[in-house]
Structure formats: structure tokens, C-alpha cells
Amino acid sequence: MSVMRTYSPFARSIALILMATYVSSCARWEIQRLTPEATVQSKNPKQLRLTLRNGFRVMVHNPRIVGDSLFGTTEENSPRRLVALALDEIGLVEVSRFDPVRTFALVAAGIGIAGLLVAAAAQDDPPPRRTTTSSGGEYISCPLVYSWDGEIWRLDSGTFGGAITRGAARTDLDNLVYATPNDGRLRLKLANELAETDHVDALSLLVIDHDADVTVAPDGAGNVHTLGPLQTPLYANDFRGRDVLARVDRLDDLNWESHPLGRDPLVAADVRDGLELTFVRSSGMDTGKLVIDGRNTSWAANMLTELIAAHGNATAAWYDSLDTQPQFMQQFGSVAAHTGFLGVSVKTTNGWEHQGYVWEAGPEIIKRQVFSLDLSGVNGDTVRVRLESAPAFWHIDQVTADFSRTRPFTTQEINITRAIDHTGRDVGHLLAEIDGAEFVMATGDYAELEFDLPRAAPGKTRSFVLSSTGWYRVHTDETASPQITLLADLVNDRDAASRIAVTRMNEALRALGVKSQ
């Protein structure tokens, strides 16, 4: 990889962001169980990442404790820009720790996390609107759901990702990792914080009581599965033959991503990427559960926005055709699944057998999804699984398998007790059932939700799963003329979107002065 000495102003800004991303990625943030003052006194950190009780995140350099406040600076070498925070305003404290293994892995990947940047760098104009959640993470699309953990709001779901028009509305299930009951009540916040309009038809809470030695997780069809001990793969390689087992064998935020360099959009092998994994199955099991902890990249979401924008002043008519003509919706869904979902294949006696897709997860947060495997055509004790998508469309943190039988559990679906939006309006009736009466959120709108919980079953562990139904409309420029040739390619060639994505990636690399080979 080489870098030119001169850049356009826009390319220079992207390059600086890329450099900053590398530097920040060389550190791991560790949550501290100590109080802020104890953390500062015992660890003497150079910087802290603080999440305040109102949900906002602040980076503080050179922190020190004076009385009942934490003082520091907003930048390491800017002593005149002081920060002062009352200790009782601080909800979560994180300390950065240098991670040489992670640093090496990122450098070895070339531009491992540049997927976030390439869509922006590919444009002559500034990038599409991007912002951050109130908890500090970046996102591009989907309504957001925060859980109250007893102290602060924690981003817990980006729901029904990919449902970009009414005809694509769907019900989505999400594990709520941070939801913490208090006095028999659970609090959530539903928010729209980006350039779109969200239409939420129904929202409820699945309260699941199960044995303590299992967990639960949903699949894309709306089913909940029990999971016993998760088996890590014996081997994991990407489509270029690289050993990536260390990236997908545990939940550690060391994700697998596509390598962007050396991809030719005219070569079929270069416009697809993914993983091949090998597991050992339990004797006599003809079924299995593949468990994927991952999310889509922001690059994938930006590409979706770009392809929507390609319809220009015909965008409204295109949406109408998707909503009113099932054949168009089916065609669009097929292209979207092939490009942005994770195709799942199993190696059988007849070769690779395609068994379906892991649904789009959205770019906001790692989401756990279960995929049921049919192993009846597999001989022997080893199971080979292939995951496939367009390059740079997924961050995969962990892939595991469960070959245990389903365990009993009970599910109670709980409707909202109280739902008040940002204006003080009661919107609970709009979210009570799937009836077309939608809670519509413009950018900046939100609602706080409360659920009264039933008593827990004796001797059982309780988990919470969000059920939400709806769709959203991404805001794009609808004044330009439609890109007729590009749109025709999307209709006639299922790999066209993947080729366009690789082409844009190569353009971005050139804009940054990076050789694509």
C-alpha cells in the first residue's frame, strides 16, 4: 500500500479520519467497576471515556479529582480547554488499554475498517449525513431502541433494518442485553436520530423464562431458540484463504471484515466475500443452530442510500411500485438479500447447498441471530458452513454453533403500559397492535416506554426480547434525473449491486491515494 503526498481537501479529511480510526482501534476500552474517583486514584489513567447519566459520552484527558468533581481537558494537549463534571453526573467509566494483538490485526488487514469511509470518499461532494447516537456510536439507518440499565440509557437495538418502504414492513426480534427491571417495571426509549422518517406500527416485549444453563436468541423469521453451550469453529477462513479464526471465535469486538484491496468489479470472485467455517456436530444430530453475532457496516448502509438516490426524481414512483406491485417487491427483495444479507450454505454430499439468508442486522449494534441448519445431507461428524455477501458489507464478531436439542421455556408477550413521546403525547395506542395506525417519527422524535412485568417463574432465568413491526423512509435527494443504466443493471443482474460497491470502493481508494492492488 502506498500513499500519495498530495490530496484534495476532501480526500485529506477522509485520510485524517482513517488515521485517527487506526489509532483509536489500537486501544481497547474497559468498563470500570470502581467509582470515578477510585479509578483515577488507582489507575492514574491518561484518558477516560465517561458516559453521563443523561446518556451523553465525554472523552476526558489528564483527569483529576477535586472535591466532588472530575476535572480534565477535552484534548490531550489543550490545557486551556477544561472540563468539569460533578461525580454524581457520571454513570459509566471506561479506561483505554493498548492492545498490540488488535493493532497488528488491523494493520495486517490493510484498511480493515475503511468500510465506514469509502462511501464518503467516493463522492466529489461531502459525504451523506452521518451522526452519532446519544450513546456515542455511529449509525446510518433504522429506528433505535435504548434500554435503561438502572443508571443510563444504553443503545440496545437498531430494529427492522432494510424495511425501507411500506411494502417491506416486517416484524423484527432483538435481544435486549442491557434492559434492567426496576420495581417490576422495564423502561425503553424509541428514537429517530437521523435523516429518515420512521413508521412504527407495533412494539411489544417478549418476557422469556428459561433454565439458567441456556440462553435465548431469535432468528430472522420471528422464532426464539434456546442455546446451550456454543461450539466455536475448528477452522475459519475467508474467501481469499486467510485464517480468520481469531477474529470470529469469541465476542471481543475484534471483527472479521472484507479486505478491500485488489478487487476487480469484472471478476466474479472479487465481488463476493465471506467465511467458510468447520464445526464438529453431535452424533446423530440432523439439525443444528448457527449463531451469528454481527452487524452490517456503515458502508453497506451508505451504499443502500446511494442506490435509492439513483432513482432521483422517480424515487416516489419507485417506492409506489414496491408498495403496490408484489412482483417488484419480490425482485427488489431478492437483490437486497443476495447483496446485503448473509447467504448460508452447507457442504453436503452433493456439494454446497444454499439454505437461506441471515437477515440484515443494521449498522448500529452487534446483533445475535440464529439460523437453523439442515444437516441431513452431511456425512460424517464435521459440518462445513459458508457465509457469503457483498464485500465490506458485514462486521462479524463471532460465529458459533449449537447442536443441542431445544429446551423448554415460557414466553409472555407484554404490551406497553405507558408510552409518552417527546411532546408529552400518549402514543401507546399507536404501538399496541399491528393495525396500520403507526407512530410516525421525524428526525429527532422519540418516545419513552414502560412495561409492567409479570412475576418470574421460580428457579428460572429471565431474558427480554423486543418485538417491533414497521418500516422507514430514508431521505435522499429526489431532484436529479434517474441513473437509467445503473438501475437497469440492478434489475437484470443480481451481482450488479456488488459490482457497483466494489467500483465505488476502488474509486475511494484512488481518492485517498491508496493503490487498490
Side-chain angles (χ1 to χ4, degrees), residues 178-490:
Y178 298 112
T180 305
N182 183 35
D183 293 331
R185 180 164 292 187
L186 196 91
R187 296 175 61 194
L188 303 177
K189 182 165 70 173
L190 177 66
N192 176 9
E193 300 179 359
L194 52 143
E196 66 184 36
T197 301
D198 296 336
H199 299 254
V200 187
D201 195 1
L203 190 146
S204 61
L205 184 70
L206 303 184
V207 180
I208 302 173
D209 292 325
H210 53 85
D211 293 338
D213 60 343
V214 301
T215 58
V216 297
D219 63 23
N223 305 305
V224 175
H225 301 262
T226 61
L227 300 174
L230 296 178
Q231 181 188 132
T232 58
L234 289 177
Y235 309 104
N237 297 283
D238 67 11
F239 283 11
R240 290 186 167 178
R242 297 184 303 165
D243 181 355
V244 296
L245 181 61
R247 290 179 171 270
V248 298
D249 64 346
R250 71 195 69 183
L251 282 173
D252 57 3
D253 200 32
L254 183 61
N255 302 327
W256 171 81
E257 305 173 66
S258 295
H259 196 299
L261 300 181
R263 294 191 176 274
D264 185 341
L266 300 180
V267 175
D270 285 344
V271 300
R272 306 296 292 169
D273 203 1
L275 300 170
E276 291 188 8
L277 309 114
T278 302
F279 298 92
V280 176
R281 65 168 162 175
S282 302
S283 177
M285 294 297 294
D286 284 339
T287 61
K289 289 169 281 192
L290 191 69
V291 184
I292 297 97
D293 292 280
R295 62 182 174 89
N296 292 103
T297 62
S298 297
W299 159 238
N302 267 312
M303 280 304 304
L304 174 63
T305 301
E306 181 177 335
L307 295 178
I308 294 172
H311 293 83
N313 56 29
T315 301
W318 175 66
Y319 279 130
D320 288 342
S321 69
L322 294 178
D323 292 341
T324 60
Q325 301 182 51
Q327 68 273 23
F328 287 133
M329 187 68 247
Q330 183 177 5
Q331 184 180 59
F332 168 74
S334 176
V335 171
H338 180 68
T339 305
F341 294 10
L342 274 177
V344 180
S345 300
V346 174
K347 189 65 173 293
T348 71
T349 54
N350 295 320
W352 286 105
E353 176 187 294
H354 177 72
Q355 295 197 354
Y357 292 97
V358 175
W359 201 279
E360 176 182 349
E364 299 83 10
I365 191 170
I366 292 288
K367 178 174 179 174
R368 171 163 288 186
Q369 296 189 76
V370 175
F371 185 90
S372 296
L373 299 173
D374 176 3
L375 307 178
S376 59
V378 177
N379 281 337
D381 294 331
T382 58
V383 176
R384 294 180 62 191
V385 178
R386 174 184 285 172
L387 302 177
E388 180 178 347
S389 186
F393 270 45
W394 282 83
H395 291 291
I396 306 297
D397 195 357
Q398 179 180 252
V399 186
T400 51
D402 175 21
F403 298 105
S404 65
R405 300 190 184 279
T406 298
R407 298 272 290 275
F409 62 93
T410 61
T411 302
Q412 300 179 71
E413 184 171 9
I414 309 300
N415 289 324
I416 297 169
T417 303
R418 185 171 181 268
I420 305 299
D421 77 357
H422 63 290
T423 68
R425 180 176 59 129
D426 185 344
V427 297
H429 63 289
L430 299 176
L431 298 169
E433 57 184 330
I434 303 173
D435 56 4
E438 301 168 335
F439 175 41
V440 180
M441 294 190 296
T443 304
D445 292 353
Y446 65 90
E448 294 195 16
L449 319 174
E450 294 183 357
F451 300 83
D452 287 336
L453 302 176
R455 289 183 179 274
K460 298 294 182 180
T461 296
R462 173 161 285 183
S463 297
F464 301 105
V465 174
L466 177 75
S467 175
S468 57
T469 302
W471 59 284
Y472 58 97
R473 180 66 54 85
V474 179
H475 299 167
T476 60
D477 180 11
E478 299 184 18
T479 61
S481 297
Q483 299 180 42
I484 302 298
T485 301
L486 183 151
L487 296 176
D489 287 343
L490 292 176

Side-chain angles (χ1 to χ4, degrees), residues 36 228 366 493 514:
I366 292 288
D493 182 357
V514 177

